[in-house]
Amino acid sequence: MLSSKEIIAKTEQYGTNNYHPKDVVIVKGEGALVSDPEGKTYFDMLSAYSALNFGHCHPEIVAAAKEQLEKLTLTSRAFHNAVLCDFCMQLAKLTGKQKVLPMNSGAEAVETAIKTARRWGALVKGVPNGKQEIIVCENNFHGRTVTIISMSTDENARVGYGPYTPGFKVIKYGDADALADAITPDTVAFLVEPIQGEAGIIVPPKGYLKKVREICTRNNILFIADEVQTGFARTGKMFACMHEEVIPDVYVMGKALGGGIMPVSAISANDDILSIFTPGSHGSTFGGNPLAAAVGLKAIELLVRDDYPKMAAEKGAYFIQKLREIDNPEIIDIRGKGLLIGVEFSGPASEYVDKLIQSGVLAKETHERTIRFAPPVVITYPQMEEALEIICKVLTK
Ligand SMILES: *Cc1c(COP(=O)(O)O)cnc(C)c1O
């Protein structure tokens, strides 16, 4: 096998420079542990941005994938397959909605939600087509397509990609009054992350989502929750909206839905909303393919059977309590829910991150000053203790 150095050099030579990965090559993974070509092992505290809630190579999900892999992998939606029906039924049940629309990546699910809102606005709410407006928040992260970066406030994600898709209004995150003030007769939806992940694990003020729900209902606009990162137990509830007992009109899901194996995304909503789609009005060649459906179905089964929300809540409480014992005046905030935890420093966090990685803990800074700790939900207590010992040592000053 090539060495880490050689692999990195080759990747940099032939791969486009649209990412700046840490100098770690992962060649094997099991649960919360990964190893590099030289045999050094690490604790994975990033979990592929929450796509690895089940850990690396969960044996039951791998088995479900293998079984389907040998039977049937792709039909396109020109024909039926025998797995999609169960996937849709179980995901509808899990979200308490009547219907599911499967896609592949998180960005595609967000695009699907945007199309849902616009078409619902035109056909049901009666907003003239072309006038539909969607409200989003500052520092949002919803993906990388041209339309999605058009509503981003991250200049680095936007610059040079014009012309931008119109029809979005940006307001302050966590401010329900700002939402009420921004609504016009042409507003069709509010698209929001229940906890902003990429912005640095920003938890909105208590009661925010409840107020958002009321405002959306009162003004007849769709409340679209982007739970791509927060969904499927990551924050200690099945969906982060559940922390405030709030039910959005549309769930946007991805990442962990693919069981850490392949891209699987979807939106779910009730029939009065999703019935705006008719044959030919939206779709995806790979969306709902039997392999993805088998993997997603197994992921949903495990979430419920093994009570992942409870696991994440209990392990998260332990994790954050240990982090709070760290003595370092440069730490200005520790926040999060469940196993989605951010530690914010008064200055750049990259030096700490480099030291963590050298010491065997994979983590990454977001927005320069915040380190995200989001281990797989399956991490064991002994593994957590060992990882926390390293983390506490490195972060103490
Ligand atoms: C990661 C993410 C997306 C985009 O998902 P991709 O699979 O990378 O396209 C969308 N929304 C949120 C909140 C995310 O964290």
Side-chain angles (χ1 to χ4, degrees):
M1 198 192 303
L2 294 180
S3 69
S4 291
K5 255 206 167 79
E6 291 166 323
I7 291 168
I8 291 168
K10 202 170 178 182
T11 307
E12 283 173 355
Q13 185 178 350
Y14 295 106
T16 300
N17 189 32
N18 62 325
Y19 276 97
H20 182 58
K22 299 288 177 189
D23 285 338
V24 176
V25 178
I26 300 172
V27 291
K28 206 171 176 315
E30 189 183 342
L33 285 172
V34 296
S35 52
D36 73 8
E38 288 74 27
K40 181 172 176 181
T41 64
Y42 300 86
F43 292 105
D44 184 353
M45 291 288 148
L46 184 65
S47 303
Y49 304 93
S50 298
L52 287 163
N53 288 0
F54 304 93
H56 292 268
C57 300
H58 190 291
E60 286 179 83
I61 304 178
V62 169
K66 273 186 179 161
E67 194 186 326
Q68 190 59 45
L69 197 51
E70 283 165 9
K71 231 186 307 183
L72 179 76
T73 54
L74 188 60
T75 55
S76 84
R77 295 295 302 278
F79 308 103
H80 287 279
N81 71 66
V83 201
L84 178 61
C85 53
D86 288 329
F87 170 75
C88 287
M89 180 176 77
Q90 294 303 340
L91 190 55
K93 263 195 191 165
L94 191 76
T95 55
K97 297 294 184 189
Q98 291 168 324
K99 284 219 147 101
V100 164
L101 200 169
M103 297 296 284
N104 309 284
S105 69
E108 281 180 314
V110 171
E111 287 272 348
T112 300
I114 292 168
K115 286 171 94 172
T116 302
R118 285 184 169 187
R119 201 164 160 112
W120 172 87
L123 301 186
V124 180
K125 185 168 177 174
V127 175
N129 188 36
K131 295 278 182 211
Q132 300 97 317
E133 223 169 58
I134 295 174
I135 300 172
V136 299
C137 289
E138 281 173 10
N139 300 318
N140 69 69
F141 183 82
H142 297 293
R144 299 292 193 173
T145 66
V146 169
T147 289
I148 292 171
I149 58 106
S150 295
M151 59 181 171
S152 170
T153 54
D154 175 358
E155 266 316 295
N156 192 30
R158 281 172 57 91
V159 74
Y161 294 132
Y164 300 103
T165 306
F168 299 106
K169 200 184 252 180
V170 183
I171 62 168
K172 219 174 132 207
Y173 184 67
D175 184 347
D177 294 336
L179 172 62
D181 290 345
I183 293 171
T184 73
D186 293 335
T187 306
V188 296
F190 178 49
L191 168 62
V192 67
E193 299 157 81
I195 293 174
Q196 283 190 327
E198 293 319 290
I201 323 295
I202 309 298
V203 182
K206 217 170 170 208
Y208 175 62
L209 297 176
K210 263 213 160 81
K211 281 188 207 153
V212 164
R213 177 66 277 179
E214 281 162 22
I215 292 165
C216 289
T217 303
R218 192 167 356 111
N219 291 279
N220 191 28
I221 69 174
L222 300 182
F223 173 6
I224 303 172
D226 182 345
E227 294 252 18
V228 170
Q229 184 162 160
T230 52
F232 303 116
R234 172 51 58 189
T235 70
K237 298 270 184 193
M238 194 59 82
F239 294 98
C241 283
M242 293 172 175
H243 285 289
E244 291 194 18
E245 286 154 2
V246 151
I247 300 171
D249 297 298
V250 180
Y251 282 102
V252 184
M253 299 162 283
K255 293 203 166 108
L257 185 56
I261 293 198
M262 60 190 300
V264 184
S265 73
I267 69 165
S268 76
N270 281 339
D271 210 24
D272 57 338
I273 295 168
L274 285 182
S275 62
I276 53 106
F277 286 113
T278 50
S281 60
H282 187 49
S284 158
T285 304
F286 282 86
N289 72 73
L291 183 57
V295 164
L297 190 58
K298 182 54 77 177
I300 294 166
E301 183 194 321
L302 297 185
L303 282 166
V304 176
R305 188 195 73 190
D306 298 341
D307 203 347
Y308 273 68
K310 186 162 167 241
M311 271 200 265
E314 289 176 357
K315 290 173 186 174
Y318 176 77
F319 205 102
I320 205 163
Q321 177 210 324
K322 288 282 167 192
L323 290 177
R324 291 214 159 102
E325 289 170 10
I326 295 173
D327 194 11
N328 184 341
E330 286 175 14
I331 295 177
I332 57 171
D333 193 22
I334 298 176
R335 57 177 177 261
K337 282 207 154 83
L339 281 172
L340 187 60
I341 300 168
V343 177
E344 187 175 345
F345 294 82
S346 52
S350 61
E351 241 174 73
Y352 289 110
V353 170
D354 292 343
K355 267 191 215 153
L356 282 172
I357 293 175
Q358 279 164 25
S359 313
V361 170
L362 295 187
K364 207 163 191 232
E365 68 272 26
T366 136
H367 280 243
E368 266 200 6
R369 300 189 308 161
T370 303
I371 303 180
R372 167 185 2 219
F373 290 106
V377 178
V378 298
I379 190 171
T380 65
Y381 277 93
Q383 287 172 338
M384 248 196 322
E385 260 159 49
E386 204 181 318
L388 276 161
E389 206 168 291
I390 298 168
I391 292 166
C392 292
K393 210 178 210 171
V394 170
L395 299 192
T396 297
K397 197 159 197 174

